Amino acid sequence: MMLKTAAFIALLLGVTTAAQADCKLAELAKLPLEIRGNQAFIPGKLRGEPIRVLVDTGAWRTMFDLSVVKKAGLSIEDAPYRAMGMGGEIRLQQATFDDLEIGGMKVPTKRLLVNASGFRGAFAGLLGFDFFGKVDIELNFKAGEMKLFQPVGCEGSVLAYWAPDKADSVDMLASKDGIEIPVSINGATFRASLDTGAYTSVAGRKVADYFGLETAGAGKSYGADNRALENAFHKFETFEIGAETIRNPTMRLSSGMATGFANTGSRMEDRSGAVDVLLGFDFMRSHRIFVSNSQRRVYFTYEGGPVFPVPQAAAK
């Protein structure tokens, strides 16, 4: 993994202290972020040309735009996967990347996925869970910061070092594809993914069906393979995550909720629809979050502002 050298240097040169005196957080990197609307980007280079990659904790793998890969002159081939996203299947290819730099860090030559349909927006690709699932990460979008950590001796420690006495926390659910946690809507428990790549938070078909709600009639959004998706909006009584309760949130509903992947060949694996709720950039921006993959726990503090701003389409 590309952070091994950085981790070794950090452990030798110094660490930051967490809640307990015997717990040390080795800071591996502080990645520069560019916040544009409800998205966060990291600058980089591909074969000397500047690029921007989307911070997308909800993506199961890092992948790049086909046009960017072609422009860089990389050799492209079919990928042995099928991926599912909001709205359906994503057509995948793959290429062996060399001379790739993300956030000032050199990425070793490796094979990465390519989105054959491209992405909506002017960015080269997205940084997915294969990157974020290997270290502990701090997301502080209000301050425009993202840090990567390696904890040392922190098994029972509170890792929200900025506010150890005030931070809330919740255990992560078992998942190989994302950062998933339990949430409660109007008292019913659902499975949510922390998804920095989602413009706004959204509840899927399972939530809508549970409460007998429609998922169409209030405009469109775009999902996998740039497919248009119907949306609806609903004002719930409560949304709970850990000990935090958001009252009277208006949330977007979509029937296009589908996450997961399948290997091609004789054995097909399809985990589409495993997640019921996407906690998107609106939630992330109003919180400071520490995702501890080492502890399988997510820490967070409310930093101000609306957690789920009322969408314009719902406010009309």
Side-chain angles (χ1 to χ4, degrees), residues 142 244 246 282-283 285-287 302-309:
K142 191 172 280 282
E244 179 179 341
I246 298 97
D282 48 0
F283 179 87
R285 178 168 262 168
S286 60
H287 291 79
Y302 173 64
E303 299 294 305
V307 178
F308 301 123

Side-chain angles (χ1 to χ4, degrees), residues 3-290:
L3 295 177
K4 285 183 178 179
T5 302
F8 180 69
I9 294 173
L11 288 168
L12 286 178
L13 297 184
V15 294
T16 57
T17 305
Q20 279 78 359
D22 57 346
C23 169
K24 305 294 181 181
L25 286 177
E27 185 176 312
L28 307 181
K30 180 178 179 181
L31 299 179
L33 291 184
E34 177 187 345
I35 308 296
R36 291 194 176 189
N38 277 22
Q39 292 181 312
F41 300 93
I42 302 174
K45 292 182 180 179
L46 177 58
R47 290 190 166 181
E49 293 296 320
I51 59 172
R52 290 187 305 143
V53 293
L54 177 70
V55 177
D56 193 352
T57 56
W60 63 288
R61 294 289 187 273
T62 295
M63 62 182 71
F64 281 79
D65 187 285
L66 178 61
S67 63
V68 173
V69 175
K70 285 184 174 181
K71 182 179 178 181
L74 300 178
S75 179
I76 303 167
E77 60 186 5
D78 289 336
Y81 303 105
R82 290 168 52 198
M84 302 298 294
M86 285 283 287
E89 185 177 335
I90 300 170
R91 293 184 294 118
L92 294 178
Q93 295 178 299
Q94 60 187 5
T96 299
F97 283 70
D98 55 30
D99 196 13
L100 174 62
E101 179 182 310
I102 297 176
M105 297 185 298
K106 292 287 187 180
V107 180
T109 298
K110 63 186 305 183
R111 185 172 295 173
L112 295 172
L113 293 176
V114 177
N115 184 345
S117 300
F119 296 107
R120 293 179 63 86
F123 58 93
L126 51 84
L127 205 57
F129 186 70
D130 53 338
F131 178 87
F132 295 110
K134 294 179 180 178
V135 293
D136 286 11
I137 60 175
E138 179 189 347
L139 300 170
N140 187 2
F141 290 151
K142 191 172 280 282
E145 294 180 349
M146 182 171 69
K147 297 178 180 179
L148 311 181
F149 291 95
Q150 177 67 57
V152 181
C154 298
E155 289 78 8
S157 300
V158 176
L159 298 185
Y161 61 90
W162 63 92
D165 297 328
K166 297 180 180 179
D168 199 355
S169 64
V170 62
D171 287 331
M172 294 168 61
L173 300 172
S175 174
K176 295 187 291 185
D177 299 331
I179 305 166
E180 298 178 12
I181 56 175
V183 298
S184 178
I185 302 176
N186 287 5
T189 301
F190 297 98
R191 191 181 190 99
S193 171
L194 291 178
D195 188 353
T196 59
Y199 278 73
T200 61
S201 298
V202 57
R205 168 62 70 182
K206 183 177 178 180
V207 176
D209 288 347
Y210 184 89
F211 294 108
L213 303 172
E214 295 295 328
T215 57
K220 298 181 184 296
S221 61
Y222 291 89
D225 213 12
N226 296 323
R227 296 181 183 92
L229 304 173
E230 292 286 342
N231 293 310
F233 296 95
H234 184 76
K235 188 174 184 179
F236 294 97
E237 294 179 6
T238 58
F239 186 101
E240 298 172 82
I241 171 174
E244 179 179 341
T245 299
I246 298 97
R247 301 195 179 278
N248 303 314
T250 298
M251 297 190 68
R252 180 162 65 95
L253 303 175
S254 175
S255 62
M257 184 79 74
T259 58
F261 72 94
N263 289 319
T264 58
S266 59
R267 292 188 177 183
M268 292 291 191
E269 182 178 10
D270 185 0
R271 291 201 280 270
S272 61
V275 176
D276 310 317
V277 177
L278 298 182
L279 283 175
F281 202 89
D282 48 0
F283 179 87
M284 306 288 187
R285 178 168 262 168
S286 60
H287 291 79
R288 188 170 179 176
I289 300 170
F290 192 100

